[in-house]
Amino acid sequence: MSTATHNSRNEFTGYLIFLSAATFLIGQITPLPYWVPALCAWLVVLISFPTMKSAARKQTLILSGLGAILIFWAFIRKTSINWQVACGGNLPLLTMFVAVSFLALTNPDSSQDQLLKGKRGIISNLLTCHLIGSVINISIIFIVGDRLSQKRQLSPAQALTMMRGLAGAAFWSPFFVAAGVALIYAPGSQWSHSVVPGLVLACLLGIVSAIDAYLRDGDEFEGYPLQYDSLFIPVLLATTVMLCHLLLPNVHILTLISLIAPIGALLFMRERPRLRQSVLFIRERLANISSQFAIFLAAGVFSSGVVAIIQSYPDTLSLHIDHFSPLLFMAFSGFMIIIALVGVHPVASIALVSPFLVPLGINPNQLAFLFLSAYGIGIGASPLSGVGLLMSSRYNVSSSTILQVNRYYIVIIWLLSGVVNLLWFS
């Protein structure tokens, strides 16, 4: 494919992604049919599919193929199918994902201040990736990683603080896609009810990771110098979301985030003029999330298929459980973490587990915490997650190194998530 053709495809895909999100939001206040944003989203998948990475294509085909087979079988058994959910159940999540992507325009300058050493460097590295990453997501890895690798390759200790620092934001941040996944697949859950246990688990992650990094590099560790003024945007946006959620309780928090994030990006973007930079972002960078569109839409088909087949055979496939015990929490969490380690996207495992657990009447906020904890632990330790692949491809941190430095961490943080669940939800 020529460069010009590739660029044209990316531009068109970017506009389709933006149109999908915009029409979904318009449909929240107008009679615009739901199929309009759904059609735009599926066109994104169709157009960008040939250029996606192999792993994304495989997961998309497997999830959508299995889901379609299950839906077809349930359909011929006269089971009612919610076609809107099957074709676009994850549209609110994807709209939030598009909106949050614009916050990359607010990336702080790569500081040229001297790197911090030892304990201060470790804490600064963790906090930078965690707090700023809670809003701008994976973009913070580029900022911190490029700065730390200017003179030498990243050490395993630096890599683990970056990966885990960012992944810990999945436990609580409303701007992290994990929050949207949890809210969609744990119906009735509220972000405000899972944020505290999420923050507790994030603090525990930070303590475990700081000790781990110090035992590896000691006082030789070099960390990114956190600029406290760079925390202004994350704090302001998170506070705005919380206040709007309190003032407008009937508006879904995903919709609030989808509106607040691009407004924040326009207000605080570094480059000027604002409108031109926004258009350039849509044309040149928004297509980068097309693989997420494919996986999330395919996960929606798969989850709808699982729901339909459970409804077709309720006595055989339903879980006959009266109480969601701490041991069951650990079992389901462990299962989702393990399959994340082998490259299965967390949303796929959540889409599989949710249809079995939701009908049990589990506290939806506990269910959301289960999904958030498994999501965060999985992406922070897997060499095949988006963050892990970035560390390997851009900073030459091998997959075996990522697995090696995380082999004890996975078990420890998994056990700690079970303790938080026991103390908070029992």
Side-chain angles (χ1 to χ4, degrees):
M1 183 188 300
S2 67
T3 302
T5 303
H6 177 74
N7 290 341
S8 297
R9 184 194 294 267
N10 272 3
E11 284 186 22
F12 187 57
T13 302
Y15 283 123
L16 270 177
I17 290 173
F18 178 77
L19 189 61
S20 173
T23 53
F24 175 81
L25 290 174
I26 292 171
Q28 302 303 297
I29 56 175
T30 70
L32 185 70
Y34 198 80
W35 61 262
V36 175
L39 177 62
C40 292
W42 280 104
L43 283 174
V44 168
V45 179
L46 183 65
I47 293 170
S48 60
F49 192 81
T51 60
M52 287 181 194
K53 291 183 178 180
S54 175
R57 290 202 304 269
K58 287 179 181 177
Q59 290 195 53
T60 300
L61 287 173
I62 291 171
L63 289 171
S64 56
L66 287 175
I69 291 170
L70 294 175
I71 289 173
F72 175 75
W73 185 259
F75 181 74
I76 63 176
R77 286 186 56 85
K78 310 295 186 185
T79 302
S80 176
I81 308 295
N82 189 328
W83 296 106
Q84 179 171 302
V85 172
C87 296
N90 281 338
L91 278 177
L93 175 60
L94 288 170
T95 300
M96 186 203 85
F97 198 51
V98 174
V100 170
S101 297
F102 280 89
L103 291 172
L105 294 168
T106 68
N107 286 353
D109 288 320
S110 181
S111 174
Q112 295 302 313
D113 292 346
Q114 186 175 1
L115 298 178
L116 301 179
K117 304 270 286 189
K119 295 176 183 176
R120 288 183 63 210
I122 292 171
I123 294 172
S124 181
N125 226 43
L126 283 166
L127 287 177
T128 299
C129 292
H130 185 77
L131 296 176
I132 300 178
S134 69
V135 171
I136 68 172
N137 288 230
I138 202 170
S139 298
I140 192 61
I141 298 295
F142 291 95
I143 296 169
V144 174
D146 288 356
R147 177 72 175 91
L148 296 182
S149 61
Q150 280 181 351
K151 296 182 179 180
R152 65 176 187 176
Q153 184 174 330
L154 292 180
S155 71
Q158 289 174 317
L160 74 85
T161 55
M162 291 166 61
M163 290 184 67
R164 297 180 197 172
L166 174 64
F171 298 150
W172 65 271
S173 172
F175 295 98
F176 222 93
V177 70
V181 173
L183 292 171
I184 291 291
Y185 286 97
S189 62
Q190 295 190 26
W191 171 75
S192 58
H193 291 179
S194 61
V195 65
V196 174
L199 283 169
V200 171
L201 187 57
C203 290
L204 293 172
L205 176 150
I207 293 170
V208 169
S209 300
I211 294 171
D212 192 355
Y214 189 75
L215 290 175
R216 293 177 187 277
D217 281 8
D219 292 328
E220 295 303 311
F221 184 98
E222 291 185 327
Y224 187 92
L226 176 63
Q227 303 296 313
Y228 291 102
D229 57 352
S230 64
L231 298 179
F232 172 74
I233 295 174
V235 171
L236 178 63
L237 290 176
T239 303
T240 302
V241 168
M242 287 187 284
L243 288 175
C244 290
H245 189 44
L246 290 173
L247 295 173
L248 303 168
N250 294 326
V251 180
H252 200 287
I253 192 168
L254 294 185
T255 303
L256 290 175
I257 295 169
S258 299
L259 294 170
I260 292 169
I263 293 172
L266 282 171
L267 289 175
F268 298 112
M269 69 171 58
R270 292 172 48 231
E271 303 294 335
R272 297 290 188 275
R274 290 183 172 90
L275 181 59
R276 181 173 181 273
Q277 292 303 319
S278 299
V279 173
L280 284 175
F281 182 84
I282 294 171
R283 293 174 56 185
E284 298 176 1
R285 296 169 62 183
L286 203 53
N288 293 338
I289 66 172
S290 57
S291 60
Q292 280 81 6
F293 261 65
I295 292 174
F296 282 31
L297 287 171
V301 175
F302 177 66
S303 184
S304 294
V306 174
V307 169
I309 211 69
I310 291 173
Q311 291 174 346
S312 301
Y313 302 95
D315 295 330
T316 305
L317 296 178
S318 297
L319 294 178
H320 301 286
I321 300 172
D322 296 326
H323 174 60
F324 190 61
S325 68
L327 287 178
L328 281 174
F329 177 96
M330 297 297 291
F332 279 101
S333 175
F335 167 73
M336 289 189 283
I337 292 168
I338 288 171
I339 63 174
L341 291 176
V342 299
V344 177
H345 197 287
V347 74
S349 63
I350 292 170
L352 171 62
V353 168
S354 174
F356 290 98
L357 296 182
V358 169
L360 302 180
I362 301 168
N363 179 346
N365 298 305
Q366 182 181 22
L367 192 57
F369 178 71
L370 168 66
F371 296 156
L372 292 170
S373 57
Y375 196 114
I377 296 170
I379 65 170
S382 173
L384 297 175
S385 68
V387 186
L389 291 172
L390 175 58
M391 299 301 292
S392 299
S393 61
R394 190 176 181 91
Y395 303 112
N396 298 314
V397 181
S398 69
S399 297
S400 59
T401 297
I402 293 173
L403 284 173
Q404 190 270 334
V405 299
N406 285 310
R407 66 186 189 279
Y408 297 124
Y409 158 79
I410 295 170
V411 176
I412 293 170
I413 200 66
W414 171 65
L415 291 172
L416 288 174
S417 70
V419 172
V420 174
N421 168 70
L422 177 65
L423 296 177
W424 188 263
F425 292 104
S426 296

